[in-house]
Amino acid sequence: MRVRCSQLVKVFPGVRALDGVDLDLRPGTVHALLGENGAGKSTLIKVLTGVHRADGGTVTLGEDGETRTVAFSRPLDAQAAGIGVVHQERNLVPSFSVAENIALQALPRRAGVVDRAAVRDLARRCLAQLDLDLDVDQPVAELSVAHMQLVEIAKALATDSQVLLLDEPTASLTADEADRLYAVVRRLREQGHVVVLVTHKLEEVFAIADVVTVLRDGRSVAGSVPLATLTRGDVVDLMVGRAHTELELSERSVDRAGTPALELRGVSTSVGHRGIDLAVHRGEIVGLYGLVGAGRSELVRALLGLDSVTGGEVLVDGDAVTIRSVGDALRRHRIGYVTENRKEEGVFLTQNLARNVAVTVWDRLARFGLVRDRDEKDLLATYRDRLGIRLSGPDQLAGQLSGGNQQKISLAKWLAADCSVLVVDEPTVGIDVRTKAAFHELIVELADQGLAILLITSDLPEMVTLADRVAVMHERRITGELLNSHHYTSMSAQVIRLVHGESAVDDPPAA
Amino acid sequence: MNRKSTATPRGGPETDVQPPRLDAPVPDDGHGPEGTAAERVGPRAAGLPWWANPRVGLVVVIAVLVLGFSSARPAFLDVELTLVPLQRDIAVFAVVGLAQLAALSLGHMNLAVGRMAALAAFSAGLCYDRFGAPLVVGLVVALVVGALVGALAGGIITATGVNSFVVTLALDFGLLGVVALLYDRFAGGVAFSVRPPGLDALRSDTFSDYCAGSVCGPPVPLLVPFALVALLAVGLFFGRTRQGREILMTGSSPRAARASGIPVGRRIVTAHALSGLLAGLAGFMLATANGAFSASIGESFLLPSFLAPVLGGTLLAGGAVSAFGTVLGATLTSVIQKGLNLLQFEADALQIFIGVVLVVALSLDRIRQVLAERRGVRP
Amino acid sequence: MSTVLDEDMGAGAGQGAGASRRTALSLHRTELVLALVAVAGFGVLAATTGGNILQPGTMQAVLQFLAVPIVVGLAQMVVLSVGQMNLSVGALTGLCAMAAASLMADSGLTPWLALPAALLVGALAGLVNGTLVVLTRINGFIVTLATMSVISGLRFSINGTGTYQDYSPGLVRLGRADVLGLPVVFLVAVATAVLVWFFFARCVAGRMLLASGGNPFAARLSGISNDRSVVLAHLLSGLLAAVAGVLVVALSGSVNASVGDDLLLPSFAAPIIGGVVLTGGVVSVLGTCLAAFIVRLVDVAQAQYGINPRWVDLVVGAVVLGAVLVSQRRGKGSS
């Protein structure tokens, strides 16, 4: 089945998430869908799977002779049309067997009783189609993540999915497991399915994809181009574009002579980091770059006591310290952490804005042990003005704000606490372009005021724009550190080499 | 860890503003965001019109009931016969409701609220009986014992990560046995018979019994100030203090609380200790009102403890509480009870009435919220 | 970009799924441990009482009074399977018992009509519970708290505080009869347990309940209506509570409105000890029955040794907490 999207548009308040996307999925191909964060991949997949309805453009199914235009209004419609998504383990019932999970959408039955033989047969057929040998009676809960994913693919086949969307399928797989997944993907291609691969990993794309679509700012800058015609460099250029270098920030100078505000010496953690060296000076923005899953956030979480540091030294202003909790980091060492999980950890969605900002400073605001609402509101007003937060009033709930404004609230509580070191984790994910630029200026301004900032981002242009130095992490190790030339082409090339475990030195900075 | 780190959807604008359904009471079946958002929006929701406030409805309902009852039976306004005992009931059940509210603030439950009261009342009784302690010492002991048992519940929940429902259920069973055994051992199985000086006055006097010259106090039982102090203290604690607010934040989102530097474990222990302390106070008050420290104290606490805060607009999900609403909720149930009693309804009609009122009140609440949202409160 | 549908659907499913996964792994071992505890407890009891409880009369009493706890535990387990709770279980058992007795004593119906009518009452009450939960989207805990109050009242409104006796000598004879040394009421409870097991293990509807409870997100994507699952679970819970009520009527020979007052907390204890999680998706009929048996053994031990009956509650409390801790620890070890 061929699926063609033409000029898809999806508008959210304040931002055009999709702004004319073309996509042509032909049977028997592996189609890579690439793009930086915020380019619109998520939204495109949601439109294709019936989670969102497109505001413009068409989706047509079928070959030239008999095509039909469709608009899915719910996920089941997309499924019925033969479009299946594979999540990581999300879509399985853990206590059920492999067979039953595969057959769940239409359990074979006889008089209301599950026909277990038919369930097993169906499951075996689907698994055989993938050339997989799994015990169909095993509970899914006992499987590895990799196997769960394969079961999900089999499940999609059980409903006769012709189009399979694999969303970042190898993010948590080992190299061997990934190879097996690729073998399955190739097999599906031979059988005439379309496999859409959403991924950040270029090596993966070049290993198995035939066709590539690159999204940038909600547009398809390369629509269904045969991969054979492109080099890796071309793809990177398409992804990052040139438009992003437009934010010109004044030259900054950082004094790296003194004691670093935060320094890690040979730190290892309970989540697998070994020998991490990293230093952030006052007034400096150090970028920590890497692929999703490289272990950047995990390092910071361990540092702040959300996981544990098992070896090496953590120094704050030159003194070796042990940080047991975020409260510890905040109150004793004045380190703040703007988390990447904005909705789960960054803000309290069901609490009002004043409390969201004041949560870190109630002990300071309290007089005779009592906090006055007025002081909280004053605090919020201060940061509303300073950060440009758009809100209707201090009693508004954080859940009612847009993503960008939520992020500002999440930042404001650490500024209110008067932190001297700020760890900012993926600050602009899912934030529209204008707010993003404002955020960038804000981060630089904070550094200029003397804060030491450790910036974690997967957004390369953002990194090149903001960071003074870039440390690259790959598989829980720092693979290199670069002084940022702010020259996009050369920096991105060097960083991407480091990301893939190559050395950066053979291509000296052009600047 | 990888999966954890990629749990946030990258890319695409996040314009959906509905909060995640942490409590997930009903598996959602595609009814869209409005239903779920309303569930989590606390009483402090921004911009909800005044009529969407559950307390306003409660006051109206209580007023209507009082009017109705007193016109049907003028005896409803009789001070000695109705109003004084009614105030005593309200005082006890308001404190019971506040005890549950302390656990609900976290999104937890305290099923052992009645048994904590029983143990606390036993401790007070023991002090009077064995050591001839003055009235106030027994009260303090009751509060301390209640707080300690509550802290124990909180400690178990924090240390094991087991659901508060299960922990307090187990604790309830355990305390049921312990309390009975203690009474067997120290009071010959029934109740303490000794009454310290002042207990009888506390039990039956009202302020109108105390006169300065010709000016006497209002016909308010001496027990009422206990409830008022509890109300003020709880209101102040959750509304104004760092600890109370941090408990609410923890109830709202434990993950965000942890990531914002709140000592989540300690706050859980504190909230449960407060719950136990208030249960202890309620146990003492009921024992005083009954005039006996017996093993049956607290047996009837469990359901009213949920009724009062829930009617008053406190959510089971945690993160938002209304101490004043809890008192109104306790008032409503007590008024219904007294009124139907006077109208010579049987106990059965009473229970049916209270159950129906609860369903209707909560349903209306939902309708109000949905209406309020339709009027464009949400952006 | 790994979870495309994340924010739109079934948030919170992940957490529940993780919990039920651990429990699924440890469930069989929980059942095994409970079986061992039951056998060992029974053995110790038999040995230390000089075989007293193996006497036919004693044994029958042990099993007779096991019937209602088993069925009530199952009634709670059914709603726990979708992550709900039913606080009206005990009151409903009482209401159905009173309804059956009243239909026989006051209306003169035969048990053949009165008992099915009582079952219908239970199922209807369950249907109301489920429908209210789905329609109002109010937490099931609160909804059933309210309906519990209503049902309690109805229970008393049938005959006030009066007692029904001699409603059906035949039925009571049957209730106290035994087949091959096994009391009939116990056999009914076991048959009910087998049916519930069959429902959850083999029937499409039962599997759908478990899918809704285990991962609402996945269930929804597989075309399962989670609302329907909630309603069905409450309906079945009401029906099972009614079965318990009928057993009480047959067993005791006299019923009054206080029947069911002391059943609510035990209804939670049995499934929780049996390894059922509050978040839904996992049930254990065997575990629930074994837990009810163990609690019964504690009762028997108290009677046999002449211990203060108050120790029973203390022990049950310790067992509840201990069972959950043990299965949680094991769950952690195996994940």
Side-chain angles (χ1 to χ4, degrees):
Chain A
M1 182 179 72
R2 186 170 172 186
V3 179
R4 263 173 304 181
C5 306
S6 106
Q7 289 301 307
L8 282 184
V9 174
K10 177 75 200 172
V11 183
F12 293 109
V15 59
R16 288 173 87 83
L18 295 182
D19 192 10
V21 170
D22 296 321
L23 189 68
D24 185 4
L25 306 174
R26 289 165 181 273
T29 56
V30 176
H31 196 122
L33 184 57
L34 297 173
E36 286 291 292
N37 293 318
K41 287 175 299 181
S42 259
T43 312
L44 178 56
I45 290 180
K46 283 178 180 174
V47 168
L48 276 177
T49 53
V51 175
H52 289 328
R53 223 182 228 277
D55 297 318
T58 55
V59 180
T60 38
L61 304 181
E63 285 302 335
D64 297 328
E66 36 185 319
T67 57
R68 63 197 170 100
T69 305
V70 290
F72 305 131
S73 53
R74 51 194 189 124
L76 281 179
D77 294 347
Q79 222 170 60
I83 298 178
V85 206
V86 173
H87 308 275
Q88 300 178 12
E89 74 170 321
R90 283 292 309 257
N91 201 6
L92 300 174
V93 181
S95 60
F96 281 19
S97 70
V98 169
E100 213 170 357
N101 266 297
I102 291 175
L104 190 62
Q105 282 142 104
L107 277 179
R109 65 192 78 184
R110 242 189 258 136
V113 177
V114 179
D115 184 344
R116 299 186 6 133
V119 169
R120 282 200 197 93
D121 280 350
L122 174 63
R124 288 211 186 92
R125 261 202 321 277
C126 294
L127 289 171
Q129 220 179 329
L130 299 174
D131 203 13
L132 285 174
D133 188 25
L134 279 179
D135 176 6
V136 292
D137 291 325
Q138 201 179 8
V140 160
E142 293 172 12
L143 298 179
S144 67
V145 175
H147 277 129
M148 286 191 200
Q149 215 162 43
L150 295 173
V151 170
E152 286 225 37
I153 295 177
K155 180 175 173 165
L157 291 180
T159 50
D160 209 24
S161 293
Q162 294 300 307
V163 180
L164 279 164
L165 301 165
L166 302 188
D167 185 8
E168 206 75 59
T170 56
S172 47
L173 303 190
T174 65
D176 282 352
E177 289 168 339
D179 283 344
R180 183 143 43 138
L181 181 76
Y182 298 155
V184 167
V185 168
R186 290 196 187 95
R187 218 180 144 79
L188 287 168
R189 173 173 60 190
E190 283 157 24
Q191 290 163 3
H193 292 89
V194 192
V195 179
V196 179
L197 195 64
V198 181
T199 181
H200 279 91
K201 299 184 184 171
L202 283 185
E203 65 264 50
E204 197 167 286
V205 172
F206 280 89
I208 56 168
D210 309 304
V211 186
V212 63
T213 291
V214 180
L215 297 186
R216 198 171 70 217
D217 298 333
R219 272 169 247 246
S220 41
V221 287
S224 312
V225 181
L227 198 60
T229 62
L230 298 171
T231 66
R232 216 158 141 136
D234 295 339
V235 174
V236 172
D237 285 347
L238 282 169
M239 279 166 66
V240 296
R242 317 264 157 185
H244 284 278
T245 45
E246 62 196 26
L247 178 63
E248 285 295 329
L249 295 162
S250 55
E251 200 60 34
R252 291 163 30 79
S253 64
V254 177
D255 173 22
R256 292 192 189 84
T259 316
L262 175 69
E263 187 177 5
L264 309 188
R265 285 188 198 153
V267 161
S268 48
T269 70
S270 59
V271 283
H273 300 88
R274 294 288 172 267
I276 303 288
D277 295 317
L278 198 63
V280 192
H281 288 80
R282 241 165 246 309
E284 187 182 32
I285 303 174
V286 174
L288 187 55
Y289 190 82
L291 292 177
V292 171
R296 295 162 299 160
S297 303
E298 289 80 354
L299 175 67
V300 171
R301 297 178 71 84
L303 178 66
L304 287 157
L306 290 166
D307 272 306
S308 52
V309 171
T310 52
E313 269 187 309
V314 177
L315 297 98
V316 177
D317 289 329
D319 300 326
V321 297
T322 311
I323 299 173
R324 289 185 195 82
S325 69
V326 180
D328 223 14
L330 168 68
R331 283 179 251 281
R332 292 183 34 201
H333 310 297
R334 299 209 299 153
I335 303 175
Y337 172 46
V338 182
T339 166
E340 63 170 336
N341 300 321
R342 181 194 318 138
K343 288 186 177 216
E344 291 84 18
E345 297 188 333
V347 293
F348 297 84
L349 294 169
T350 56
Q351 298 288 340
N352 71 36
L353 297 177
R355 290 194 174 191
N356 263 288
V357 171
V359 61
T360 50
V361 293
W362 277 328
D363 45 354
R364 200 186 71 209
L365 290 186
R367 282 181 210 167
F368 308 109
L370 301 181
V371 183
R372 290 192 311 178
D373 280 346
R374 182 145 45 93
D375 294 335
E376 262 184 1
K377 285 175 184 167
D378 290 348
L379 190 74
L380 176 67
T382 309
Y383 288 96
R384 178 195 63 205
D385 298 344
R386 187 163 157 204
L387 306 184
I389 305 172
R390 280 172 51 196
L391 48 87
S392 63
D395 284 333
Q396 197 178 11
L397 303 183
Q400 296 172 323
L401 290 185
S402 70
N405 283 310
Q406 280 179 5
Q407 189 70 338
K408 287 178 181 172
I409 292 284
S410 175
L411 175 63
K413 74 177 165 200
W414 299 111
L415 298 181
D418 198 19
C419 289
S420 55
V421 178
L422 206 54
V423 180
V424 187
D425 196 351
E426 301 285 8
T428 58
V429 167
I431 288 177
D432 66 276
V433 177
R434 204 147 24 101
T435 315
K436 197 166 164 174
F439 229 95
H440 290 168
E441 279 166 21
L442 182 66
I443 288 173
V444 170
E445 194 185 309
L446 290 172
D448 287 342
Q449 289 163 10
L451 263 75
I453 293 177
L454 180 60
L455 171 72
I456 299 176
T457 174
S458 304
D459 183 337
L460 198 47
E462 177 168 291
M463 183 64 76
V464 174
T465 308
L466 294 179
D468 299 309
R469 271 185 305 141
V470 179
V472 178
M473 180 169 276
H474 180 66
E475 293 182 347
R476 281 152 215 264
R477 278 166 198 283
I478 302 271
T479 50
E481 222 180 271
L482 305 163
L483 264 181
N484 191 356
S485 62
H486 297 286
H487 188 281
Y488 187 72
T489 318
S490 71
M491 277 310 291
S492 61
Q494 290 184 77
V495 167
I496 282 179
R497 278 212 186 83
L498 282 173
V499 163
H500 296 294
E502 297 163 27
S503 163
V505 287
D506 56 352
D507 188 44
Chain B
M1 286 318 275
N2 289 345
R3 267 170 290 135
K4 211 179 194 176
S5 74
T6 55
T8 322
R10 282 149 206 281
E14 300 180 30
T15 49
D16 298 340
V17 293
Q18 89 265 29
R21 307 169 56 229
L22 302 172
D23 55 336
V26 183
D28 187 49
D29 218 10
H31 292 280
E34 56 278 299
T36 53
E39 179 109 1
R40 297 277 301 156
V41 171
R44 298 176 63 88
L48 282 183
W50 61 270
W51 44 264
N53 184 330
R55 258 92 61 209
V56 175
L58 271 183
V59 170
V60 171
V61 172
I62 292 171
V64 168
L65 281 175
V66 167
L67 274 177
F69 285 136
S70 48
S71 54
R73 284 276 185 289
F76 190 81
L77 294 179
D78 185 293
V79 171
E80 278 305 309
L81 187 69
T82 315
L83 290 187
V84 167
L86 180 63
Q87 290 178 67
R88 222 175 267 140
D89 283 357
I90 293 173
V92 172
F93 285 105
V95 175
V96 174
L98 291 174
Q100 194 62 258
L101 172 132
L104 293 179
S105 67
L106 280 173
H108 285 190
M109 291 183 187
N110 182 1
L111 297 193
V113 65
R115 242 54 85 168
M116 289 181 184
L119 187 68
F122 166 83
S123 319
L126 185 73
C127 288
Y128 300 140
D129 191 61
R130 287 293 153 113
F131 312 113
L135 193 63
V136 64
V137 172
L139 172 62
V140 170
V141 168
L143 296 183
V144 169
V145 167
L148 285 178
V149 181
L152 173 72
I156 295 175
I157 291 164
T158 310
T160 63
V162 175
N163 191 306
S164 67
F165 182 89
V166 176
V167 170
T168 55
L169 177 71
L171 196 64
D172 185 67
F173 274 112
L175 287 177
L176 178 63
V178 167
V179 168
L181 288 170
L182 287 172
Y183 273 104
D184 280 356
R185 169 83 180 72
F186 292 101
V190 206
F192 289 109
S193 48
V194 173
R195 292 189 194 162
L199 188 75
D200 281 326
L202 195 56
R203 176 189 173 196
S204 45
D205 285 4
T206 67
F207 284 102
S208 58
D209 297 328
Y210 299 87
C211 302
S214 60
V215 184
C216 296
V220 172
L222 297 190
L223 276 178
V224 168
F226 287 83
L228 286 179
V229 168
L231 167 66
L232 280 178
V234 170
L236 215 55
F237 180 72
F238 283 113
R240 288 273 176 272
T241 69
R242 173 187 161 198
Q243 290 223 350
R245 288 177 170 213
E246 288 189 348
I247 289 171
L248 288 177
M249 296 308 247
T250 304
S252 180
S253 166
R255 280 185 68 189
R258 196 158 167 248
S260 301
I262 293 173
V264 169
R266 282 209 304 260
R267 293 297 169 262
I268 290 176
V269 174
T270 311
H272 279 273
L274 178 64
S275 180
L277 181 133
L278 290 163
L281 177 61
F284 176 86
M285 287 168 67
L286 185 63
T288 308
N290 290 350
F293 291 83
S294 72
S296 65
I297 297 277
E299 266 175 3
S300 58
F301 277 3
L302 187 57
L303 299 176
S305 80
F306 283 103
L307 275 177
V310 168
L311 279 173
T314 296
L315 300 175
L316 290 193
V321 298
S322 168
F324 181 58
T326 301
V327 174
L328 288 180
T331 307
L332 176 62
T333 46
S334 301
V335 164
I336 292 176
Q337 191 146 11
K338 266 280 166 314
L340 292 186
N341 252 339
L342 275 181
L343 295 174
Q344 277 153 4
F345 275 90
E346 300 291 332
D348 49 293
L350 189 78
Q351 279 176 312
I352 298 175
F353 204 76
I354 288 181
V356 171
V357 164
L358 183 56
V359 172
V360 171
L362 290 173
S363 304
L364 286 180
D365 221 36
R366 292 306 302 264
I367 294 168
R368 270 201 309 267
Q369 269 173 349
V370 170
L371 284 180
E373 277 165 19
R374 290 240 176 94
R375 299 207 333 184
V377 172
R378 283 152 51 89
Chain C
M1 270 221 357
S2 62
T3 47
V4 171
L5 306 175
D6 208 347
E7 62 199 328
D8 292 73
M9 306 155 92
Q15 217 183 345
S20 62
R21 172 200 315 175
R22 283 203 308 274
T23 320
L25 283 174
S26 62
L27 197 58
H28 290 299
R29 271 171 293 178
T30 303
E31 288 170 353
L32 189 66
V33 170
L34 287 175
L36 288 177
V37 169
V39 170
F42 190 75
V44 168
L45 211 53
T48 54
T49 58
N52 191 12
I53 77 164
L54 295 175
Q55 301 286 324
T58 325
M59 196 59 214
Q60 267 180 22
V62 171
L63 295 181
Q64 262 179 357
F65 292 103
L66 180 57
V68 172
I70 284 182
V71 177
V72 168
L74 292 174
Q76 194 62 257
M77 186 194 81
V78 174
V79 271
L80 290 178
S81 77
V82 292
Q84 292 265 314
M85 290 182 184
N86 185 358
L87 296 193
S88 67
V89 159
L92 193 51
T93 300
L95 175 67
C96 294
M98 285 302 282
S102 162
L103 286 175
M104 289 184 285
D106 298 339
S107 314
L109 289 186
T110 71
W112 295 109
L113 289 174
L115 300 190
L119 296 184
L120 191 65
V121 169
L124 277 178
L127 184 65
V128 170
N129 277 343
T131 312
L132 279 176
V133 169
V134 168
L135 285 186
T136 62
R137 307 256 142 205
I138 300 170
N139 191 309
F141 183 90
I142 295 299
V143 168
T144 55
L145 175 70
T147 56
M148 174 180 94
S149 186
V150 173
I151 291 168
S152 276
L154 291 175
R155 188 175 54 154
F156 276 93
S157 67
I158 290 178
N159 197 22
T161 51
T163 300
Y164 284 115
Q165 271 173 326
D166 306 328
Y167 32 77
S168 169
L171 179 64
V172 174
R173 224 175 7 256
L174 188 67
R176 291 178 182 166
D178 54 286
V179 179
L180 300 173
L182 295 174
V184 169
V185 284
F186 175 69
L187 291 175
V188 171
V190 170
T192 307
V194 170
L195 283 177
V196 171
W197 171 82
F198 184 78
F199 175 75
F200 278 113
R202 294 280 185 273
C203 290
V204 175
R207 303 308 288 175
M208 285 181 171
L209 287 197
L210 288 179
S212 289
N215 188 344
F217 173 78
R220 215 171 120 199
L221 283 189
S222 302
I224 295 170
S225 160
N226 290 321
D227 282 352
R228 197 161 52 197
S229 294
V230 168
V231 173
L232 180 61
H234 276 285
L235 189 149
L236 287 176
S237 178
L239 184 64
L240 286 168
V243 171
V246 166
L247 289 179
V248 171
V249 169
L251 186 60
S252 60
S254 74
V255 290
N256 62 34
S258 68
V259 167
D261 275 349
D262 50 355
L263 287 178
L264 178 58
L265 294 183
S267 82
F268 282 105
I272 288 172
I273 296 172
V276 177
V277 283
L278 299 182
T279 44
V282 181
V283 294
S284 167
V285 173
L286 183 61
T288 303
C289 294
L290 286 171
F293 182 64
I294 292 170
V295 171
R296 182 84 191 98
L297 279 184
V298 177
D299 264 331
V300 174
Q302 174 268 323
Q304 290 288 327
Y305 298 138
I307 308 170
N308 187 328
R310 299 313 186 173
W311 283 102
V312 173
D313 297 316
L314 195 58
V315 172
V316 172
V319 172
V320 170
L321 195 57
V324 173
L325 282 181
V326 167
S327 66
Q328 197 170 52
R329 186 104 340 136
R330 243 198 335 260
K332 264 180 202 156
S334 57
S335 66

